[in-house]
Amino acid sequence: MKLNLSIIISLIFVCQTFGQKKYFEHKFEHYTIVKNNDTIHFHTYSNGDMTPKKGILLYSQGSGSDPFYKLIRHIDTVKTSKNEEPKINKYLEVHKTLPFNLEAFTTDYLLVAISKKSIPFEIFGNDFKTPKAFYENDNLNYRVWQANEVVNYLSNNRLQNKGKIIALGHSEGTEVVAKLGTINNKITAIGYFSGSGNAQYYDFILDIRKYVQRGEMTEEESIIETEKVFNEVKDIYKDPNSLTKKWIGHSYRKWSTSVEPSIDNLLKINIPIYVAHGAKDKAVPIESAYLIPIEFIRHQKTNLTFKVYPKLDHSFAILPKSDNEVYEEHWDDVFNDFLKWCEINY
């Protein structure tokens, strides 16, 4: 009887899954790797024919538990005048952590993205509750382990004629690709988008100093706020495995297992590295990123290209300054600059 019940439950789940229209999932191929009693889910997208490709582009997204695509249906009633019959306006709001325009994505590379632990590829609505397993595995070493396994699998099963493997990280994803580059010799180039050179704690202090420079905080207030950061970091390492204690939305365990200066890993890498940063980035201060070229010069390493985009923010966009201006996305422009650099540099 238990077996039959399990079959019925499985059938219900399958029916529900296929009954929901997929907007992005069907554009990708989906794979699993089972290892160490764990399962890694990763996804590939090919614009055009699957073969031949110059190589693979592995993308590591930033922090958080959002899926790659989150869709919210909206139904609005629109009425422009009292005498006019109301019109029903239906539209789909799309939130995504894969920033690429799939239709315009390069045909030269296979796009690869890895799901974070227990996070689905695509969801509808706001009802998804982040499972505990995500928080238990939300750390730098776990993400690097996932990425390393996926690169090895793809290298052995999908890559032909010694094709290139590019590891591109954005925001927190830069920390992943930097550490991945120190352990996997199959990576041929690294893209480091909107990432810090320092440990992230330092960036919080840097932000406080910038408040003072802009006249938004006094020196006396900055000393108090800086001490708060110091005390919080001390508390984190007193209870480094806590999932219940949190700071700025992340558990103590996340902080204690994820924060390390990426510059230490970047300096160990000898393959070409391309760092791109927006000067208007408020999430990762550009001042922190400048540590990277300084340290490469100091260590006489020449495998770094460092490019600043004067008008762009953390997501490589231009934010409107007034109601007369519009939000401008420039991710694809930065990405295309990176691809051109890849063609020239290796």
Side-chain angles (χ1 to χ4, degrees):
M1 183 64 186
K2 288 183 179 180
L3 177 60
N4 291 337
L5 180 59
S6 298
I7 294 173
I8 292 171
I9 292 173
S10 299
L11 288 173
I12 291 172
F13 175 77
V14 170
C15 290
Q16 288 175 338
T17 300
F18 286 94
Q20 179 70 271
K21 182 180 179 180
K22 301 298 181 184
Y23 283 83
F24 293 95
E25 263 189 47
H26 73 279
K27 297 179 183 292
F28 288 75
E29 291 188 353
H30 308 277
Y31 298 86
T32 59
I33 298 173
V34 179
K35 189 170 183 178
N36 298 341
N37 295 319
D38 201 348
T39 303
I40 303 169
H41 297 277
F42 71 95
H43 323 275
T44 67
Y45 171 79
S46 175
N47 190 6
D49 191 4
M50 287 291 294
T51 55
K53 298 286 184 187
K54 290 183 178 179
I56 290 165
L57 189 140
L58 173 68
Y59 177 70
S60 293
Q61 71 274 39
S63 61
S65 59
D66 288 333
F68 289 118
Y69 294 98
K70 176 181 176 181
L71 303 102
I72 302 173
R73 291 188 178 90
H74 292 276
I75 301 176
D76 295 337
T77 302
V78 181
K79 190 174 183 180
T80 57
S81 66
K82 293 182 179 180
N83 298 326
E84 185 182 23
E85 288 293 324
K87 296 180 180 178
I88 304 299
N89 183 26
K90 298 181 180 180
Y91 63 97
L92 197 65
E93 181 182 351
V94 178
H95 300 264
K96 60 182 184 178
T97 57
L98 271 181
F100 308 96
N101 177 355
L102 296 181
E103 293 182 358
F105 189 79
T106 175
T107 58
D108 290 335
Y109 293 91
L110 182 71
L111 174 62
V112 180
I114 305 169
S115 286
K116 295 181 180 180
K117 181 67 175 179
S118 300
I119 302 300
F121 179 89
E122 176 183 285
I123 65 170
F124 287 80
N126 292 310
D127 296 333
F128 176 73
K129 184 178 180 181
T130 305
K132 184 180 179 182
F134 165 79
Y135 296 109
E136 292 173 339
N137 295 277
D138 186 25
N139 62 75
L140 178 59
N141 286 335
Y142 184 79
R143 292 193 65 186
V144 172
W145 172 74
Q146 283 185 312
N148 187 53
E149 293 297 329
V150 170
V151 168
N152 290 337
Y153 173 87
L154 291 170
S155 178
N156 294 331
N157 296 280
R158 295 293 300 272
L159 202 59
Q160 299 177 356
N161 301 321
K162 296 183 179 181
K164 304 169 184 176
I165 301 180
I166 301 170
L168 170 61
H170 176 248
S171 194
E172 183 186 280
T174 57
E175 300 167 13
V176 177
V177 299
K179 196 159 189 174
L180 176 67
T182 68
I183 65 172
N184 194 304
N185 60 11
K186 298 180 179 68
I187 306 295
T188 52
I190 287 177
Y192 195 92
F193 283 15
S194 304
S196 175
N198 291 295
Q200 193 173 357
Y201 303 131
Y202 175 83
D203 292 346
F204 298 135
I205 306 298
L206 185 56
D207 280 334
I208 292 171
R209 297 306 310 164
K210 293 176 76 173
Y211 286 134
V212 175
Q213 292 171 3
R214 293 195 298 264
E216 299 172 8
M217 185 181 292
T218 66
E219 287 290 359
E220 291 74 17
E221 290 170 335
S222 75
I223 293 172
I224 294 172
E225 293 302 314
T226 300
E227 283 298 322
K228 288 181 181 178
V229 175
F230 290 155
N231 290 331
E232 191 67 53
V233 175
K234 289 177 184 176
D235 286 342
I236 287 170
Y237 289 94
K238 288 178 183 176
D239 196 1
N241 292 314
S242 176
L243 292 173
T244 56
K245 293 181 180 179
K246 293 185 178 182
W247 184 46
I248 317 179
H250 296 295
S251 71
Y252 277 18
R253 182 171 176 176
K254 161 79 170 181
W255 288 110
S256 68
T257 56
S258 297
V259 176
E260 57 184 55
S262 284
I263 187 62
D264 294 345
N265 289 320
L266 291 171
L267 288 170
K268 297 175 184 176
I269 299 171
N270 294 317
I271 59 175
I273 301 170
Y274 183 95
V275 174
H277 211 103
K280 303 298 183 182
D281 191 335
K282 292 184 178 181
V284 178
I286 182 68
E287 292 87 347
S288 184
Y290 275 122
L291 175 68
I292 300 171
I294 288 295
E295 285 298 290
F296 269 70
I297 294 169
R298 193 171 71 86
H299 286 81
Q300 298 183 336
K301 291 181 67 68
T302 59
N303 59 315
L304 174 73
T305 298
F306 185 85
K307 185 167 183 179
V308 175
Y309 291 82
K311 298 180 180 180
L312 304 187
D313 72 352
H314 188 64
S315 300
F316 299 125
I318 299 177
L319 300 178
K321 296 180 180 178
S322 67
D323 294 337
N324 297 324
E325 296 181 354
V326 296
Y327 179 87
E328 296 182 25
E329 293 186 11
H330 290 277
W331 171 275
D332 285 335
D333 296 330
V334 177
F335 178 59
N336 288 330
D337 286 346
F338 172 58
L339 289 179
K340 291 175 184 176
W341 171 87
C342 288
E343 294 303 310
I344 295 172
N345 284 273
Y346 70 99

